[in-house]
Amino acid sequence: MIGAAISTSIALIVYNIGRVLFVWHVYKMHPFTRQQFIILMLTFTTLITSYFISYLPFNNWQLIILKGFIFFVLFIAPIYFFNLENESLQF
């Protein structure tokens, strides 16, 4: 069943890339902005940091608090303070 999952993932990725290229070529529009790619990099940085923090020798409560703090510092604060999403200021 892993082969079916891999082939479905590849088909969806190719289809979505084709759709984005079609919209970009025909309508001269791109659905993404530079800020969204920065948010995506912040997401991966936060996920990788949280993954490696799990191996620190703390108990579970300390890890939960530490991961929450890391999530706020690496993800929420940059989005809010650098105004990466306009909708975050409406909240």
Side-chain angles (χ1 to χ4, degrees):
M1 295 306 279
I2 294 175
I6 292 173
S7 64
T8 302
S9 298
I10 291 172
L12 285 171
I13 290 169
V14 168
Y15 175 74
N16 285 324
I17 289 173
R19 220 168 50 173
V20 167
L21 290 175
F22 173 78
V23 168
W24 183 52
H25 180 69
V26 173
Y27 298 110
K28 304 294 186 230
M29 296 173 30
H30 200 279
F32 303 109
T33 62
R34 181 177 298 151
Q35 286 84 7
Q36 291 171 331
F37 291 113
I38 294 172
I39 291 173
L40 192 62
M41 287 189 303
L42 287 173
T43 303
F44 287 130
T45 304
T46 305
L47 287 174
I48 290 170
T49 305
S50 294
Y51 175 75
F52 287 116
I53 283 177
S54 298
Y55 293 111
L56 293 176
F58 295 123
N59 66 22
N60 289 336
W61 289 105
Q62 290 171 335
L63 284 175
I64 289 171
I65 293 170
L66 183 61
K67 284 183 181 181
F69 180 73
I70 293 296
F71 177 75
F72 179 77
V73 168
L74 292 180
F75 190 73
I76 301 295
I79 290 174
Y80 184 74
F81 290 120
F82 294 127
N83 195 17
L84 295 176
E85 279 294 322
N86 294 333
E87 296 173 0
S88 65
L89 296 177
Q90 295 173 358
F91 181 69

